[in-house]
Amino acid sequence: MTNWLNGREEDKLSGRLEGRSVVVTGVASGLGREIAREMAREGAHVLGCDVNDEGGAATMEEVGHYRHTDVSREREVEELIAEAVTRFGRLDVMVNNAAIQIEEELVATTEAQLDRILGVNLKGVFFGCKHAVLKMRPVGGGAIVNIASILGLVGDGVLAAYCAAKGGVLGVTRATAVRYGPEGIRCNAVCPGDIDTPLVEAYFATGEDPAALRAEVEREYPLRRIAQPREIARAVVFLASEDASFMTGQPLVVDGGLLADCY
Ligand SMILES: NC(=O)c1ccc[n+]([C@@H]2O[C@H](COP(=O)([O-])OP(=O)(O)OC[C@H]3O[C@@H](n4cnc5c(N)ncnc54)[C@H](O)[C@@H]3O)[C@@H](O)[C@H]2O)c1
């Protein structure tokens, strides 16, 4: 396969976020790590957070600043965003990426599991939108990008609470876009299919033959593979930048064609 992903060709990037102040949640691994790197490559000042301090600090050592934050706790999210304003003078872009996954069907999901998933995956995004808006309003706008999933749009029978949270993320995205659009704040979501991250590796590892399970999943995709994290991070950069200046309230599906296929 020859494409721009083969080499990390920084020279092809164009400083789309030069000098912007960006906060990214869940930067210790996977997609969040790649988003933080991509934002920095585009010239942004980046503050990243996570609950995994070792991984989070390792990511941000190269590309910005790190702060421990549990996104399910409102005060911690408020303080995270306040730190970005203190460090960089304002907040231009908020990326709500942190999430967890618990594999359980509806009838087997406990109240504690539901609370945990909704706490991180939905309340975390809600708090991120709320406190970003509070800082963006006084300076005339900004862009919020929420990482949802194709599972905000279609169902997976063994990820009931996760689907509930991701559907909720699309609801918060639209409510934020509609209410604060007149104040220059855009809010969109990215809906990825499977991405090659530790979260998906953990799922493959549950199979008797992890390599066979991966191959089976990849066959489902019209592009016959799952996404590399950077392919999703580029969509996040797009929504955060002026390239998406007339987009708000949208779920941007980046799924290798999976949902386009009725079989
Ligand atoms: N990997 C996929 O196939 C896939 C598909 C669709 C959507 N997504 C979404 O992409 C995003 C990133 O997922 P990923 O695959 O990189 O997962 P990941 O598990 O590799 O990374 C998630 C990060 O969030 C952090 N985190 C967990 N709880 C937190 C909390 N309470 N506060 C702060 N940080 C916390 C974790 O420590 C981790 O660093 C998530 O929103 C996920 O739902 C992933």
Side-chain angles (χ1 to χ4, degrees):
M1 184 177 63
T2 31
N3 66 23
W4 61 274
L5 277 170
N6 288 350
R8 305 186 73 98
E9 300 177 43
E10 275 79 359
D11 56 345
K12 287 198 176 160
L13 304 179
S14 61
R16 276 182 180 75
L17 299 170
E18 197 62 52
R20 301 288 164 80
S21 160
V22 176
V23 169
V24 183
T25 69
V27 296
S29 82
L31 179 59
R33 171 170 282 177
E34 203 59 35
I35 293 170
R37 289 176 174 161
E38 208 62 28
M39 294 282 171
R41 278 187 209 109
E42 290 284 0
H45 304 295
V46 187
L47 175 63
C49 83
D50 208 287
V51 286
N52 170 354
D53 292 334
E54 200 184 332
T59 301
M60 298 314 297
E61 193 174 42
E62 301 163 26
V63 296
H65 304 273
Y66 175 73
R67 182 186 178 97
H68 175 97
T69 303
D70 177 347
V71 298
S72 68
R73 301 173 74 92
E74 180 167 13
R75 197 166 51 80
E76 293 188 29
V77 175
E78 183 177 6
E79 287 170 359
L80 169 75
I81 291 172
E83 179 176 332
V85 174
T86 304
R87 279 189 182 278
F88 310 135
R90 53 188 282 149
L91 177 70
D92 297 304
V93 175
M94 178 75 201
V95 183
N96 293 303
N97 164 79
I100 53 171
Q101 188 171 297
I102 297 174
E103 199 176 324
E104 209 65 90
E105 67 176 89
L106 183 83
V107 297
T109 304
T110 65
E111 185 174 358
Q113 286 175 323
L114 182 61
D115 283 346
R116 196 156 159 255
I117 287 258
L118 295 182
V120 178
N121 298 14
L122 181 53
K123 283 171 67 179
V125 173
F126 195 101
F127 297 146
C129 289
K130 175 179 171 182
H131 290 284
V133 164
L134 287 168
K135 296 296 185 198
M136 289 172 175
R137 289 175 107 171
V139 294
I144 301 170
V145 184
N146 296 327
I147 307 304
S149 167
I150 53 170
L151 298 185
L153 299 164
V154 296
D156 183 322
V158 294
L159 291 171
Y162 185 86
C163 288
K166 293 300 187 180
V169 168
L170 297 182
V172 178
T173 301
R174 288 187 282 263
T176 305
V178 168
R179 181 69 179 91
Y180 305 108
E183 296 178 67
I185 298 170
R186 295 184 299 105
C187 182
N188 291 288
V190 176
C191 295
D194 288 293
I195 316 165
D196 210 342
T197 69
L199 189 134
V200 160
E201 278 298 331
Y203 166 68
F204 291 146
T206 64
E208 241 169 62
D209 180 349
L213 181 55
R214 171 188 277 265
E216 190 184 312
V217 168
E218 290 184 332
R219 263 198 308 278
E220 300 290 325
Y221 283 79
L223 292 183
R224 295 290 184 266
R225 62 183 180 85
I226 63 174
Q228 288 304 306
R230 197 177 182 202
E231 294 178 288
I232 309 302
R234 292 307 302 167
V236 177
V237 167
F238 165 69
L239 290 174
S241 76
E242 287 306 301
D243 288 347
S245 56
F246 203 56
M247 275 187 75
T248 197
Q250 293 305 307
L252 180 61
V253 177
V254 189
D255 72 343
L258 188 69
L259 297 195
D261 188 349
C262 72
Y263 298 107

